[in-house]
Amino acid sequence: MRFLFAFTITLLLSGCYKNESTLTDSLIYCPENTPQSFNPQISHDISTLDATTHQLYNRLVKIDPITKQFIPDLATHWQQNDNKSSYTFFLRKDVNFHQTDYFTPTRFFNADDVIFSFQRMLDKDHPFHSVNRVTDSYFFNHPFTNLVADIIKIDDYTVKFILNKADVTLLANLAAHYGVIHSEQYAQNLLSKGHPERIDFYPIGTGPYKFKNYEIKGITRYLSHPQYWGGRPTITNLIFDVTPNNTKRYAKLLSGECDIMTYPAPSQLNTMSVNPSVVLSSIPTANVALWSFNSVKKPFKQKEIRQALSYAIDQKTIVNAVFFKSATATDTLLAKQSWAYNPRSAELQYTPQLALQMLKENGFDFNNIITILTPIDHSVFNPNSHKTAELIQANLFDIGVSSEIISLPHSELEMRLASGNYDTYLTGIDVHIKDPDSLFRPLLSCDATILEGNSSQWCSPEVQDLLDSTLLEPNFIKRIKNYYQLQDIVQQERPYYPIAHVLRFDAFNQNISGLHVNALTGIDFQNVRKIEAQ
Amino acid sequence: MLNYLFRRLNLLFITAFILSVIAFILTYWSSKNTLADADAGYIIQYVKYMSAILQGEWGLSSIDQQPMLIKGLTAFASTLELCFIAFITANIIAIPLGIFAGLNRNSLLDYLIMTIALIGLALPVFWLAVITTMLPRLLGIPLPIDGGISPVFEIPVVSGFILLDTLLAADTYQLDAFFNRLAHLILPSSVLSLFLITEIIRLTRHSITMVMKSNYVKAAYAKGLSRKEIVFRHVLKNALPPIIHQLRLQLSTIISFAMVIEIVFSLQGSGVWLLSSIKEGDYLALPTAILIISGFILLSSIFIDILLMIISPIKRKSLYVD
């Protein structure tokens, strides 16, 4: 009796507790991971993009989500010269940078900011070029180094990009997440204070939200930017509350502790889709889950062994059991929606007998235990790496190959990968722009390290040559042909076994509208509206 | 009195010394590459380590360069808050139940209460916590299941006890933040208090039974006092000290259960702090946590001893034993 009484009293007390869903000026977004920094120029993981690209910054141009055309962002319009080797951008006037408690801008956005943002990547002598060791990553300046020769300020609101040679990918690169514009004045301010490293962690941009603070437990707070040139957003407090556990994210969404969540567990998709109070949005991405073979280590040096193992894997079962409906099974690395996709790629066939025969013919040592390295946490490429590894293990066991699964936490995994001591690795890759180069280069280029994506340690002069020449190839038909050829080689050589192309899922409550998610650049809260939940 | 205190403190020093050696070994092991004079002998290093600890220099966290001591204390304060709420709830519920069971021994009521208590004892805390996270959804009660306080509220850390801090921040959020924190504590503290309730019911029942059998209670009956008077005047007073004494032994269990529950509910506290620090490779958190938590348990067990000595005449005898 007393227990019931006490419990009722506490429940009555909790009546004073107001659920977050009643606060229409605050929006809580529950992502899966913490951002690595607040600058998408230097961090390319999806959590960073979600936390920065659309919220804090603007780019010169962006891609219209519906028509897929380039539309103005900070540049109002642009011109290209006749041979497409230079582009002139006319900048928007009266654009305010964020005013925060760590920086107060005294001038509007102008050409200096554009030049600063890109010269940091291009100019090796730039004072910010190597701040925060960003140059350690090959991808920091890669997209622009071969592309842009110089950026010239014509007047305060006109800049000219001069290209090394005619190239059509400039606009796509400017619309990518790393094309964001930083404040030059803020950078100078930091430099004079002697803290240039703060530029990537205390961001100043022109976007609809400004950075407020970040707590180590994974909470990022933003405030709306009152002088935003595109109109002040209706949400005043934007809060990112990192919740790594996907069951809990869903529970929080239902209880109103989260308004929007990202990456629901694939196993929950069915229950979510029938829940009338939750809206589920999905978009296809070019991100692919892979099983990579360490091509410099025996026995995977041999092409036939790699091929044989790929015949032994029952891909359909893996996709059904692990990804449910959150991914589509694939035969190729490149997604079908890409313009460079080769429709005549060889299909992956599940033929264990053939696999066994090939292994025997090529003198595979069946006493050898091969290692399957997996990350211990689920990643954006794979909701359950360990289960995938177990299914692969079972498939391998069927043809008499014994294997060992090694699941490691992130930091130890990186060490193990860097040491090169693994046979196979279950991973994936996320793609930043629509250009196929952004998929193939990290996976297949000799310059890409294991941690950057080349976990097969693949390096062949033929592939490297194709990669490099295609990037600079002005003829579009020739580019497509080159990529067809590249895909044929990859299908033949099989350094990677593609498992599935993943979809990006976001779920939100009925009282949220206006959310836009871009598969490449992240989530966009600019036009989100929230009404009081019933 | 002084003699007694001295004896207790003596024990404290020996235990504290052993703990500090363990903490030192952990610190040494986790940061041996960064120590300035790694060549000096262990004893010199230990002395240096201890003098730094005593001066409050516990090192910096490798994650955010904040002082370890502050981080550890803030986290532990939150754990204590959970324990405290659970303790209060448990006492309110369990002591009356235990008294009923003890007074009506072997009656239907006794069996009922003891069955509940045994079920509570048999349930693993971790499992119960996981099940409890599903309760609000199943029962339709709008209670939060994750985190210590809604991220909408930005509460500056003053005391580390978030309930207090929310009251201090009442200018900004009125009482909303306070109730929000309280709501976040309801489920975790219910789980933690279930273990305590079981424990307290059993202890109270046993203690009451013992006292009821004693001669002075029989004498009181003979004197013609009513049952109610006997219970309130004699039984309760004498049944209390053994309960407190037994609960002292459960202190470390309660704290470690609280840490596990925190992890399930993502409640910021020493459990979550320790786990995330280890995940991030910030191993200095280990010795810090050992020193803070075991230090607290040591000090509070001595405090409870002194308290018992004050309230219980039997214990007071130990004062005069040399």
Side-chain angles (χ1 to χ4, degrees):
Chain A
M1 245 343 263
R2 270 163 192 267
F3 178 76
L4 274 180
F5 177 72
F7 203 73
T8 330
I9 292 291
T10 44
L11 285 185
L12 283 179
L13 252 179
S14 75
C16 304
Y17 156 71
K18 275 189 209 151
N19 196 287
E20 287 86 345
S21 61
T22 56
L23 306 165
T24 53
D25 64 338
S26 301
L27 186 87
I28 301 181
Y29 169 59
C30 294
E32 183 180 43
N33 267 317
T34 46
Q36 291 173 355
S37 74
F38 287 101
N39 184 359
Q41 289 179 328
I42 67 164
S43 314
H44 306 287
D45 63 300
I46 287 161
S47 315
T48 308
L49 303 194
D50 283 348
T52 55
T53 322
H54 293 276
Q55 275 58 263
L56 295 169
Y57 300 104
N58 289 116
R59 292 152 287 164
L60 288 177
V61 296
K62 59 184 178 187
I63 296 174
D64 187 291
I66 296 155
T67 63
K68 307 288 176 201
Q69 299 290 317
F70 293 106
I71 54 170
D73 203 6
L74 283 180
T76 50
H77 56 290
W78 54 91
Q79 289 170 347
Q80 56 195 39
N81 67 352
D82 290 340
N83 63 1
K84 294 183 178 169
S85 64
S86 80
Y87 284 72
T88 309
F89 291 88
F90 301 93
L91 306 180
R92 197 176 291 276
K93 289 174 184 163
D94 302 337
V95 173
N96 279 291
F97 277 102
H98 300 148
Q99 181 182 353
T100 61
D101 47 9
Y102 51 87
F103 176 66
T104 308
T106 55
R107 64 166 175 81
F108 289 120
F109 154 76
N110 66 24
D112 290 334
D113 300 312
V114 178
I115 290 175
F116 165 76
S117 306
F118 292 102
Q119 287 297 5
R120 180 181 177 191
M121 292 188 267
L122 291 172
D123 179 6
K124 288 194 169 57
D125 301 322
H126 193 274
F128 280 85
H129 184 69
S130 54
V131 165
N132 288 325
R133 302 171 47 127
V134 290
T135 47
D136 286 4
S137 163
Y138 166 75
F139 296 102
F140 169 54
N141 51 4
H142 152 71
F144 290 108
T145 37
N146 293 327
L147 184 64
V148 180
D150 201 6
I151 306 170
I152 298 168
K153 175 181 176 179
I154 293 176
D155 62 47
D156 263 0
Y157 292 98
T158 318
V159 283
K160 192 172 185 180
F161 281 67
I162 298 175
L163 309 186
N164 282 321
K165 56 176 77 175
D167 195 315
V168 286
T169 65
L170 178 73
L171 287 180
N173 274 307
L174 291 179
H177 60 88
Y178 43 75
V180 296
I181 304 297
H182 288 260
S183 163
E184 185 260 351
Q185 197 192 8
Y186 176 53
Q188 293 305 333
N189 181 302
L190 287 178
L191 213 53
S192 66
K193 283 182 187 158
H195 283 292
E197 76 286 350
R198 288 170 65 97
I199 193 164
D200 298 324
F201 300 98
Y202 291 87
I204 294 289
T206 53
Y209 295 95
K210 59 183 182 183
F211 180 76
K212 189 177 180 195
N213 57 26
Y214 171 73
E215 280 179 36
I216 199 94
K217 59 185 173 190
I219 293 173
T220 316
R221 293 189 180 86
Y222 304 86
L223 286 174
S224 62
H225 177 32
Q227 296 92 25
Y228 180 55
W229 58 270
R232 184 183 179 151
T234 57
I235 303 293
T236 315
N237 297 301
L238 175 66
I239 298 162
F240 279 40
D241 182 5
V242 173
T243 314
N245 182 321
N246 45 28
T247 311
K248 214 167 222 183
R249 274 207 301 285
Y250 184 38
K252 282 172 84 170
L253 182 78
L254 293 176
S255 71
E257 286 170 82
C258 296
D259 294 308
I260 301 169
M261 67 172 277
T262 224
Y263 293 110
S267 53
Q268 292 162 352
L269 290 176
N270 272 337
T271 35
M272 273 188 179
S273 58
V274 296
N275 188 336
S277 63
V278 173
V279 184
L280 200 59
S281 94
S282 79
I283 42 168
T285 70
N287 302 345
V288 61
L290 303 167
W291 184 35
S292 77
F293 303 114
N294 189 347
S295 64
V296 297
K297 196 166 179 249
K298 265 186 177 177
F300 295 97
K301 255 183 174 167
Q302 238 176 313
K303 171 171 102 178
E304 289 77 12
I305 302 289
R306 298 194 296 265
Q307 281 175 339
L309 288 196
S310 65
Y311 289 131
I313 304 304
D314 183 4
Q315 189 196 45
K316 210 172 148 192
T317 307
I318 293 179
V319 174
N320 285 338
V322 178
F323 292 88
F324 296 83
K325 290 184 178 109
S326 73
T328 45
T330 181
D331 299 325
T332 54
L333 294 172
L334 204 58
K336 284 199 173 67
Q337 63 263 30
S338 170
W339 49 261
Y341 172 73
N342 183 353
R344 282 168 312 190
S345 299
E347 280 179 27
L348 288 169
Q349 273 161 354
Y350 173 48
T351 42
Q353 300 84 4
L354 179 64
L356 186 61
Q357 191 192 337
M358 281 178 80
L359 287 179
K360 279 181 181 160
E361 280 170 9
N362 290 285
F364 181 80
D365 177 10
F366 283 89
N367 294 322
N368 189 2
I369 297 176
I370 68 165
T371 53
I372 306 174
L373 202 60
T374 66
I376 208 162
D377 331 295
H378 52 97
S379 60
V380 288
F381 324 113
N382 198 330
N384 193 339
S385 304
H386 196 84
K387 194 168 169 188
T388 316
E390 282 175 342
L391 290 167
I392 289 178
Q393 191 177 39
N395 284 153
L396 294 180
F397 181 76
D398 289 344
I399 56 164
V401 176
S402 32
S403 56
E404 178 193 12
I405 300 171
I406 302 175
S407 294
L408 294 176
H410 186 70
S411 52
E412 284 176 46
L413 186 70
E414 283 197 346
M415 265 160 31
R416 178 86 183 228
L417 283 172
S419 75
N421 177 21
Y422 60 94
D423 292 324
T424 67
Y425 173 42
L426 262 177
T427 177
I429 182 156
D430 52 347
V431 176
H432 305 134
I433 62 169
K434 284 218 159 64
D435 199 88
D437 189 63
S438 72
L439 171 78
F440 288 126
R441 189 166 290 270
L443 289 176
L444 300 166
S445 162
C446 299
D447 303 329
T449 66
I450 301 176
L451 295 181
E452 279 160 4
N454 192 350
S455 48
S456 174
Q457 306 199 52
W458 185 257
C459 183
S460 89
E462 193 188 6
V463 168
Q464 186 68 33
D465 193 45
L466 266 176
L467 280 174
D468 292 341
S469 63
T470 315
L471 194 64
L472 303 174
E473 175 61 56
N475 184 337
F476 190 62
I477 304 293
K478 189 84 198 341
R479 289 185 74 193
I480 293 182
K481 272 189 180 163
N482 281 358
Y483 280 128
Y484 275 22
Q485 198 189 340
L486 184 71
Q487 286 171 73
D488 286 339
I489 298 173
V490 172
Q491 292 300 83
Q492 268 301 311
E493 293 287 341
R494 186 69 55 221
Y496 299 98
Y497 176 85
I499 299 172
H501 280 107
V502 291
L503 302 170
R504 172 171 176 153
F505 278 91
D506 294 271
F508 48 95
N509 281 324
Q510 283 263 303
N511 58 336
I512 307 292
S513 60
L515 180 72
H516 171 64
V517 184
N518 185 314
L520 297 170
T521 51
I523 200 162
D524 180 0
F525 293 107
Q526 186 187 332
N527 300 315
V528 168
R529 281 170 184 278
K530 182 177 174 185
I531 53 167
E532 198 159 324
Q534 276 99 41
Chain B
M1 176 78 186
L2 271 177
N3 232 343
Y4 174 79
L5 271 183
F6 186 71
R7 247 184 300 131
R8 298 303 318 181
L9 286 179
N10 218 350
L11 195 68
L12 170 79
F13 279 127
I14 293 169
T15 325
F17 172 72
I18 295 170
L19 285 169
S20 73
V21 169
I22 295 175
F24 168 69
I25 292 170
L26 279 172
T27 316
Y28 187 78
W29 164 73
S30 65
S31 60
K32 61 184 164 207
N33 301 324
T34 53
L35 283 184
D37 47 354
D39 300 332
Y42 289 112
I43 296 176
I44 296 174
Q45 286 200 26
Y46 173 74
V47 171
K48 278 190 180 164
Y49 172 74
M50 278 320 289
S51 74
I53 290 285
L54 291 176
Q55 284 165 25
E57 286 162 19
W58 292 39
L60 297 179
S61 158
S62 68
I63 302 170
D64 54 0
Q65 308 305 321
Q66 297 293 312
M68 255 317 172
L69 179 62
I70 306 290
K71 287 189 85 167
L73 284 178
T74 316
F76 188 58
S78 181
T79 307
L80 275 188
E81 192 171 75
L82 173 65
C83 294
F84 183 73
I85 301 270
F87 188 71
I88 299 282
T89 329
N91 275 322
I92 293 174
I93 296 166
I95 289 187
L97 285 181
I99 293 173
F100 280 129
L103 290 179
N104 308 304
R105 202 182 166 94
N106 296 336
S107 70
L108 190 67
L109 184 71
D110 177 36
Y111 287 135
L112 193 71
I113 292 173
M114 287 316 287
T115 312
I116 297 170
L118 272 177
I119 291 173
L121 196 68
L123 292 179
V125 169
F126 180 78
W127 178 85
L128 194 67
V130 173
I131 295 297
T132 316
T133 57
M134 299 176 188
L135 268 188
R137 185 69 195 149
L138 285 176
L139 303 178
I141 319 165
L143 275 182
I145 52 146
D146 184 272
I149 187 164
S150 165
V152 172
F153 303 107
E154 274 179 85
I155 307 297
V157 179
V158 184
S159 62
F161 295 96
I162 301 177
L163 277 177
L164 278 184
D165 288 349
T166 51
L167 288 179
L168 293 174
D171 288 346
T172 340
Y173 301 113
Q174 282 78 44
L175 285 178
D176 287 352
F178 178 76
F179 284 123
N180 193 288
R181 169 69 178 168
L182 213 53
H184 277 86
L185 281 178
I186 289 177
L187 290 178
S189 62
S190 303
V191 177
L192 184 58
S193 67
L194 194 79
F195 162 75
L196 274 168
I197 287 170
T198 320
E199 212 45 46
I200 295 174
I201 288 181
R202 278 158 21 101
L203 291 174
T204 319
R205 176 176 177 270
H206 180 74
S207 181
I208 295 270
T209 321
M210 286 294 126
V211 176
M212 286 301 276
K213 277 183 189 161
S214 61
N215 287 336
Y216 58 85
V217 172
K218 285 180 192 155
Y221 270 117
K223 213 162 75 177
L225 291 181
S226 73
R227 193 175 146 101
K228 201 171 152 190
E229 275 174 307
I230 294 172
V231 170
F232 278 101
R233 200 184 289 176
H234 299 288
V235 180
L236 284 191
K237 265 186 203 167
N238 291 303
L240 198 61
I243 301 174
I244 297 180
H245 182 72
Q246 283 295 319
L247 276 184
R248 185 192 73 172
L249 302 177
Q250 300 293 340
L251 199 64
S252 58
T253 324
I254 296 167
I255 290 177
S256 42
F257 278 2
M259 286 164 74
V260 172
I261 290 169
E262 270 171 6
I263 292 168
V264 177
F265 286 93
S266 320
L267 200 67
Q268 291 299 317
S270 38
V272 170
W273 169 66
L274 210 54
L275 193 71
S276 64
S277 297
I278 291 168
K279 267 190 186 166
E280 301 269 335
D282 189 5
Y283 297 115
L284 202 57
L286 277 175
T288 312
I290 288 186
L291 285 178
I292 292 178
I293 297 172
S294 55
F296 172 80
I297 290 173
L298 267 185
L299 285 178
S300 52
S301 78
I302 288 178
F303 173 76
I304 291 174
D305 263 354
I306 295 171
L307 183 81
L308 277 177
M309 195 182 71
I310 294 168
I311 63 170
S312 144
I314 301 176
K315 289 267 170 189
R316 215 172 296 154
K317 275 184 198 160
S318 61
L319 264 182
Y320 311 108
V321 182
D322 275 291

